Amino acid sequence: MLRPQFVEHAVLVTDYVLIVLASLACSVGYHWITTGDIINEKAFFSIGIIVAANFTAIMASRRNYRLKNLTLLARQARDTIIIWCGVYGTLTVVAFTLKISDEFSRGAATLFFSGGLAALLSWRFLVANSISHALANGSFARKKIIIISERGLNASSRPFGELRRYGYHPVKTCEVTQEEISAPGISGSLRSKLADVIQAAKSERIEDIYLLLGWQHRRTIDGILNTLAVLPISVHLIPDESAARFLSHPISNVGSTWTTELQRPPMTRLELAAKRVFDLTLATAALITLLPLMLVTALLIKLDSRGPVLFLQKRNGFNGHAFNIFKFRTMHVLEDGPVVQQAKRNDPRITRLGRWLRRSSIDELPQLFNVILDDMSLVGPRPHAASHNSEYEKLIANYAFRHHVKPGLTGWAQVNGLRGETSHIEQMERRVEHDLWYINNWSPWLDLKIVLQTIVTTLRQTAAY
């Protein structure tokens, strides 16, 4: 059985060795190919050690060697790229400042930068998949714990399932009744249960105790902690459902006081610039690549039914600004006004070709021009018809908050299956909930993740019609 601590340390050591070997291999390989000789291998061995020490130290400070974080491939790839570029760039500046950069071949150094990064990313992919597979198969050694919970909470709670998934084995579960929680102090029955917990912790060599109690029961929690103080083991309080909802947001500190950022401010100028560069780069590349497909689609639309190739409709963008959204025409009608009926399954307004265009999302491709014109972003809340905005703003709280960013060609809601008709208000509420999460958790890496997921989900999505 695998020990989590062993795996965490093994990944760190492998990172270190991998970087040193990449430095040596790139130096030896480059000089062997270009000059037929091996030179400066000791210098590159030293550089490999310095880079490895800095890289692993920063990765460790970011807690990237924790078992649960090793399974998060997107986070691992993001931090690997940023930290690798940062360490390499910093050391390059230092070498230039100290006038020692002439001792190293630029070709070998460039090869080390690209080769080392590729090796680390490949290793991260292997680690994430292997650990996820091991967790699913229960290959990790079980860590003995005791759970103290309110009656009925432990079996159905998500934290309880997560503890089991990551190798935590509840040797004993102590259920606390509502009568025991409501008592002014530690009741006799609860004191007896805690005595059994203490006895089990000593005899079974328990490593941790987890409390799954509502945070409003402060007096009971304090009483349990005072009773368990005789045990030299850690006691953890799991956030209840009401607290967990807020703790999922970014957490920061103001002095000794911690805060959770429930609503992020508008993007800074630097963030807006980064997002705009991302949009222009990918939208232009996509437009050039997909232009033949778009031309063929335009021709087929003209041959399939009467009417224009493009359909323009008023939508609301950033800060409620109105703009015309571009779409390939998929219907016999061109609705744009105070009343716009959503498309339904087997809608007679949809043309024969339009049904396939909508299902494959090809009808959305002209919105790449909206992205280039700065009306839209590649990723953001999907823009709804102006008439629908007016309707939902009255029915859904915080609906207007969607306009704090530019609308997107795709979004967090769409890659999570929330697209197509919203015949019930609950469906739109879920979509808005995902849109608000995206706005409050935006990052360039999240945008890239959504774009990649969109490509995958579009190929297998059947909700649009």
Side-chain angles (χ1 to χ4, degrees):
M1 300 289 282
L2 297 171
R3 299 284 301 180
Q5 294 84 355
F6 171 79
V7 173
E8 293 168 357
H9 294 153
V11 173
L12 187 152
V13 172
T14 304
D15 276 357
Y16 195 102
V17 173
L18 190 63
I19 293 172
V20 175
L21 291 179
S23 178
L24 272 175
C26 291
S27 173
V28 171
Y30 177 81
H31 289 111
W32 180 263
I33 293 172
T34 56
T35 65
D37 197 4
I38 299 176
I39 58 175
N40 269 1
E41 70 276 7
K42 292 184 179 179
F44 270 89
F45 179 75
S46 302
I47 285 296
I49 291 177
I50 295 173
V51 173
N54 282 274
F55 178 83
T56 53
I58 298 173
M59 287 287 282
S61 69
R62 291 273 301 159
R63 300 186 176 183
N64 280 315
Y65 293 113
R66 296 286 183 89
L67 188 67
K68 64 177 183 178
N69 292 332
L70 286 172
T71 63
L72 305 177
L73 183 57
R75 168 180 172 151
Q76 291 290 320
R78 177 197 67 194
D79 282 10
T80 296
I81 293 172
I82 293 175
I83 294 172
W84 179 259
C85 293
V87 169
Y88 200 90
T90 301
L91 293 178
T92 300
V93 172
V94 170
F96 178 80
T97 303
L98 298 178
K99 297 182 179 181
I100 58 175
S101 57
D102 292 339
E103 299 180 17
F104 304 99
S105 166
R106 293 180 182 177
T110 303
L111 187 61
F112 173 42
F113 172 79
S114 56
L117 181 58
L120 286 171
L121 290 175
S122 301
W123 166 236
R124 278 294 177 280
F125 179 80
L126 177 63
V127 167
N129 282 278
S130 299
I131 293 179
S132 296
H133 183 72
L135 287 171
N137 293 335
S139 301
F140 282 94
R142 294 184 174 184
K143 186 177 183 180
K144 294 182 179 180
I145 64 171
I146 292 177
I147 293 178
I148 301 175
S149 71
E150 290 185 49
R151 175 164 292 175
L153 280 186
N154 59 340
S156 60
S157 69
R158 184 186 60 80
F160 191 75
E162 286 288 287
L163 287 171
R164 286 185 177 277
R165 179 171 178 262
Y166 281 92
Y168 291 82
H169 175 55
V171 173
K172 181 179 180 61
T173 299
C174 173
E175 289 192 332
V176 183
T177 66
Q178 287 298 321
E179 292 76 14
E180 292 167 338
I181 291 176
S182 303
I186 296 295
S187 64
S189 59
L190 179 54
R191 195 176 299 277
S192 175
K193 291 179 180 179
L194 293 177
D196 291 340
V197 167
I198 293 172
Q199 181 61 36
K202 292 179 179 179
S203 61
E204 296 288 344
R205 294 185 178 181
I206 298 299
E207 299 180 64
D208 294 284
I209 296 177
Y210 286 83
L211 306 184
L212 187 56
L213 305 168
W215 282 18
Q216 71 273 21
H217 307 307
R218 180 176 175 180
R219 184 180 300 173
T220 302
I221 294 173
D222 287 340
I224 292 174
L225 286 175
N226 290 334
T227 306
L228 298 179
V230 298
L231 295 173
I233 59 178
S234 60
V235 180
H236 306 266
L237 178 61
I238 299 175
D240 59 18
E241 290 186 1
S242 60
R245 181 167 65 92
F246 299 116
L247 294 177
S248 63
H249 295 272
I251 295 175
S252 59
N253 294 86
V254 180
S256 59
T257 300
W258 65 267
T259 67
T260 180
E261 187 180 60
L262 302 182
Q263 176 177 313
R264 64 165 287 156
M267 293 183 189
T268 64
R269 290 184 178 181
L270 183 60
E271 290 174 333
L272 288 172
K275 188 170 177 64
R276 183 60 180 153
V277 169
F278 177 86
D279 288 341
L280 281 175
T281 303
L282 266 68
T284 303
L287 195 57
I288 294 172
T289 304
L290 299 172
L291 188 57
L293 173 62
M294 295 173 68
L295 292 175
V296 171
T297 301
L299 177 61
L300 291 176
I301 291 173
K302 293 299 292 184
L303 295 175
D304 180 63
S305 61
R306 292 183 178 181
V309 170
L310 293 179
F311 167 53
L312 276 65
Q313 190 179 65
K314 288 290 183 184
R315 301 287 173 99
N316 295 112
F318 176 69
N319 201 25
H321 170 71
F323 69 97
N324 286 318
I325 194 171
F326 303 131
K327 299 182 69 172
F328 280 126
R329 182 177 59 83
T330 59
M331 292 186 174
H332 296 289
V333 298
L334 301 173
E335 294 179 342
D336 186 19
V339 178
V340 176
Q341 182 182 352
Q342 287 191 11
K344 304 178 183 296
R345 191 177 297 276
N346 300 320
D347 196 318
R349 298 172 300 164
I350 302 176
T351 64
R352 291 174 301 174
L353 177 63
R355 200 171 306 281
W356 178 76
L357 294 178
R358 296 174 72 91
R359 187 173 292 114
S360 61
S361 296
I362 292 177
D363 65 316
E364 310 284 0
L365 292 182
Q367 290 164 40
L368 290 169
F369 290 106
N370 286 116
V371 175
I372 293 174
L373 293 173
D374 205 21
D375 292 324
M376 294 176 60
S377 178
L378 277 178
V379 181
R382 283 293 295 158
H384 301 139
S387 60
H388 295 162
N389 274 341
S390 301
E391 175 187 354
Y392 288 124
E393 283 178 356
K394 300 174 184 176
L395 300 175
I396 302 176
N398 294 328
Y399 180 88
F401 193 75
R402 300 170 76 253
H403 298 143
H404 281 214
V405 297
K406 282 185 291 187
L409 197 153
T410 185
W412 183 241
Q414 283 63 48
V415 297
N416 282 282
L418 301 174
R419 58 173 301 197
E421 183 189 6
T422 52
S423 55
H424 303 289
I425 189 65
E426 292 79 10
Q427 293 172 307
M428 182 58 74
E429 286 176 342
R430 288 186 61 209
R431 185 179 295 185
V432 171
E433 180 183 340
H434 281 71
D435 289 338
L436 299 187
W437 184 91
Y438 166 78
I439 294 172
N440 286 318
N441 293 272
W442 175 87
S443 72
W445 312 110
L446 179 60
D447 273 4
L448 181 59
K449 174 184 177 180
I450 292 173
V451 168
L452 295 176
Q453 282 187 305
T454 298
I455 298 173
V456 176
T457 55
T458 298
L459 297 176
R460 61 189 183 191
Q461 179 63 260
T462 60
Y465 40 81

